[in-house]
Amino acid sequence: MLPDRDFFNRLADAAKAETLPRFRTGTSVANKEAGGFDPVTEGDRAAEAAIRALIEAHFPDHGILGEEFGNVGLDRDYVWVIDPIDGTRAFISGLPVWGTLIGLYHKGEAVMGLMDQPFTGERFLADGQQSFYSGPGGDKVIATRPCNDLSEAILFTTSPHLYKGDIKTRFETVQEKVQLARYGCDCYAFALLASGHIDLVIECGLKPYDVGGLIPLIEQAGGIITDWNGGPAEMGGEIVAAGSAALHAQALAILKG
């Protein structure tokens, strides 16, 4: 038995109960990276624990790949991929572009996914067939918008400072060709793409849990998401998502190594 939309909503609600009360409250922050800054908060840990508890109770035969508490059963047919707070830097800065990401993989392919932004009250969910939005303005099916040329595209990336060396050169080449480039939206950028507000998202250095919940949102809204070589995005790395096949092909021609 597969989970349904109601179960995904239960997972999101459980995470929201842990993250939202801690947002903009000066919650404590720990650093996971000795040589840099990789923040984690008590909200990250509490939200993931709440998500995992529900999954383990209702789908005990499924595996789990999580950011904060490690992995269980990655060789199983169904594996949940969890990022309790994607965009922790935004979270600790009071910027509401972070989100809870929950994806479900079947034999390595992302088939269902969710991105929840509790502060704005927006939830984006892919149920295996379509992508949906619920929040201010009501509930609706969402779709990417047609944009077939880089010169007309709006591009988002988390930060241009994350790119180094050759991949920086390739990213900047794409950036120079688009109509508008904006920074700093984390997972929220992918939700904007799935909803037809922007056209292109390019990222580097992603982990599976950074993208697992977002792949179905993009694909089931009519978009394309791959790595920079055109391969599957499920394991992260350098990622490009586009609202149309034509736009994806143009970006990929530049980004490919």
Side-chain angles (χ1 to χ4, degrees):
M1 184 180 69
L2 279 175
D4 56 15
R5 289 169 62 182
D6 286 342
F7 185 71
F8 269 84
N9 283 322
R10 287 182 63 190
L11 295 178
D13 289 343
K16 176 180 178 177
E18 301 295 346
T19 58
L20 189 55
R22 294 176 167 96
F23 184 52
R24 295 183 176 174
T25 62
T27 187
S28 61
V29 180
N31 183 16
K32 296 189 289 186
E33 186 177 329
F37 184 55
D38 185 10
V40 60
T41 71
E42 58 186 18
D44 292 87
R45 297 190 178 105
E48 184 169 323
I51 294 167
R52 293 175 83 115
L54 281 170
I55 293 170
E56 289 163 356
H58 292 272
F59 297 95
D61 57 334
H62 289 189
I64 298 177
L65 190 163
E67 181 176 15
E68 305 303 335
F69 295 108
N71 307 322
V72 176
L74 297 187
D75 59 341
R76 299 173 187 174
D77 282 354
Y78 288 98
V79 177
W80 294 84
V81 183
I82 305 165
D83 193 344
I85 300 178
D86 181 82
T88 302
R89 290 172 177 81
F91 182 87
I92 65 177
S93 304
L95 186 66
V97 295
W98 54 276
T100 294
L101 300 181
I102 305 170
L104 181 64
Y105 287 11
H106 178 237
K107 297 183 178 179
E109 180 182 355
V111 292
M112 300 178 75
L114 173 142
M115 182 282 206
D116 188 55
Q117 212 312 302
F119 187 77
T120 63
E122 295 176 293
R123 186 168 294 174
F124 304 82
L125 172 64
D127 69 352
Q129 301 295 326
Q130 293 179 297
S131 293
F132 301 86
Y133 167 89
S134 61
D139 301 348
K140 59 185 177 182
V141 176
I142 56 175
T144 60
R145 67 183 183 186
C147 176
N148 295 316
D149 196 274
L150 285 172
S151 65
E152 301 172 350
I154 299 176
L155 161 70
F156 274 44
T157 193
T158 296
S159 172
H161 303 298
L162 295 174
Y163 299 91
K164 308 293 181 183
D166 181 51
I167 66 168
K168 179 180 180 181
T169 301
R170 284 181 263 163
F171 166 75
E172 289 177 345
T173 301
V174 176
Q175 182 177 241
E176 289 167 1
K177 294 181 180 296
V178 301
Q179 185 178 76
L180 174 66
R182 301 292 291 170
Y183 307 142
C185 268
D186 297 293
C187 59
Y188 197 77
F190 290 89
L192 291 175
L193 193 152
S195 302
H197 301 299
I198 68 171
D199 308 294
L200 192 62
V201 180
I202 299 175
E203 299 287 3
C204 66
L206 298 189
K207 306 295 189 210
Y209 46 75
D210 294 320
V211 72
L214 298 167
I215 296 168
L217 284 179
I218 300 297
E219 293 182 340
Q220 292 167 34
I224 299 176
I225 178 169
T226 69
D227 67 18
W228 285 18
N229 290 312
E234 274 81 357
M235 295 312 294
E238 280 63 67
I239 299 298
V240 53
S244 72
L247 190 65
H248 180 266
Q250 288 179 36
L252 202 65
I254 298 169
L255 295 172
K256 273 188 175 182

